[in-house]
Amino acid sequence: MDKLQSTADSIVAEFATYEEYLDSQISQKDLYYLEDENLARQLVELGYRGGELKREEFEQRKRNAENIKSKKNSSSLPKVLASEGKEFEDSPFLQALAEREELCRSGRLACIIFIRDKNKKGQEISGYIDYAHRLKTENFELYFKRKKRLLPKPTDLSFYNWETQTPSSTPTANFQVIATNTEGLLFKNKRDRKSINVDPKAEPGDNSKRVEIKTDEYIQVVIYDHMTRRKT
């Protein structure tokens, strides 16, 4: 019994939604013969293709886990935001980050920051940064105090060094990185499974907005705001 509960808890922790769990049970061979992703999901849910955890149990366990996580997050959130008490009238970029800090820390907003500029070696670099991930893993007070300058890194969602022509991409707890031939680079939010299209000529996607930041601090800055809504 304990082993079954442990397996169920592991499944709930690994997958953001029940549909994502169903997809993990479907093989390429299943899709080849069935030719219908929804039908393949239904077979898994009915128990014909794996599916050891039913939807009701998954969703109940997910709610319990989210409640526990929410309580932990509320207690671990900094009492004072990194941007609090600081003035950014001469920095449109830092002002934009400050306005989004609390929403990103609480998970109500997901932000991807595109930055194009030069590194300390004078090399042009660009990349897409998961703001919430950086907030969680770095001391952002150093950025807001201007002791450090925010730049993309190889460990961010996407990074490119234009001189060395070195690309890299790294998924985070919030986003999956998807490169397609038709739509180019997409970032799929793991919370609501909505994709953000960063092509400036295309619409960014459902619940998403593209905001160009006019600033002299960088060559180019664009922020993609995504209001997260959990898929039901």
Side-chain angles (χ1 to χ4, degrees), residues 119-158:
N119 61 18
K120 291 180 179 179
K121 296 180 180 179
Q123 300 169 329
E124 186 170 323
I125 58 173
S126 62
Y128 293 89
I129 299 168
D130 179 349
Y131 184 30
H133 176 72
R134 285 280 206 110
L135 281 170
K136 187 176 181 179
T137 57
E138 295 185 38
N139 177 8
F140 249 74
E141 194 164 4
L142 296 176
Y143 294 111
F144 287 121
K145 283 183 174 180
R146 311 184 200 211
K147 292 183 178 180
K148 287 180 69 176
R149 193 162 175 266
L150 186 64
L151 285 172
K153 302 188 294 187
T155 52
D156 283 314
L157 286 170
S158 179

Side-chain angles (χ1 to χ4, degrees), residues 67-178:
N67 287 336
I68 293 171
K69 183 179 178 181
S70 178
K71 290 178 181 178
K72 286 183 178 179
N73 286 345
S74 61
S75 62
S76 61
L77 279 173
K79 293 180 180 179
V80 179
L81 297 172
S83 59
E84 191 166 325
K86 300 172 182 62
E87 298 293 332
F88 308 111
E89 290 181 3
D90 60 337
S91 175
F93 177 54
L94 289 179
Q95 181 64 42
L97 295 187
E99 290 169 356
R100 292 163 171 81
E101 183 185 1
E102 185 176 11
L103 288 173
C104 284
R105 286 190 186 275
S106 67
R108 289 174 289 170
L109 179 70
C111 288
I112 294 176
I113 306 166
F114 172 77
I115 292 177
R116 182 164 67 95
D117 208 65
K118 292 185 178 181
N119 61 18
K120 291 180 179 179
K121 296 180 180 179
Q123 300 169 329
E124 186 170 323
I125 58 173
S126 62
Y128 293 89
I129 299 168
D130 179 349
Y131 184 30
H133 176 72
R134 285 280 206 110
L135 281 170
K136 187 176 181 179
T137 57
E138 295 185 38
N139 177 8
F140 249 74
E141 194 164 4
L142 296 176
Y143 294 111
F144 287 121
K145 283 183 174 180
R146 311 184 200 211
K147 292 183 178 180
K148 287 180 69 176
R149 193 162 175 266
L150 186 64
L151 285 172
K153 302 188 294 187
T155 52
D156 283 314
L157 286 170
S158 179
F159 173 85
Y160 189 72
N161 185 310
W162 291 87
E163 183 171 315
T164 63
Q165 297 187 355
T166 305
S168 66
S169 62
T170 308
T172 66
N174 305 309
F175 288 101
Q176 176 184 351
V177 184
I178 302 172

